[in-house]
Amino acid sequence: MIGTSTTAPAGVTSAVRSLLLQLAAAAALGLVVLYGVAFAESPVAHNAAHDVRHVTVKPCH
């Protein structure tokens, strides 16, 4: 088995790294939006997030 390699091509690792970065950015944005609305001072935004918590059967009190 001369000349075989077990390493992935450079493009594959770059694609995986890019995908992980995009997933992390999406998760961070989602958390910011979720907590930003949930703890907002505006009653409309807070009540909307509060109602969603009730609909998804998550504790909020």
Side-chain angles (χ1 to χ4, degrees):
M1 297 248 200
I2 298 172
T4 59
S5 176
T6 59
T7 60
V12 172
T13 57
S14 174
V16 170
R17 186 176 299 133
S18 174
L19 178 64
L20 290 175
L21 181 61
Q22 291 175 30
L23 288 173
L29 178 62
L31 287 174
V32 166
V33 169
L34 178 68
Y35 286 108
V37 170
F39 295 114
E41 293 295 325
S42 168
V44 174
H46 177 81
N47 289 338
H50 188 85
D51 292 344
V52 168
R53 291 189 67 83
H54 281 290
V55 167
T56 57
V57 193
K58 292 188 173 55
C60 59
H61 302 246

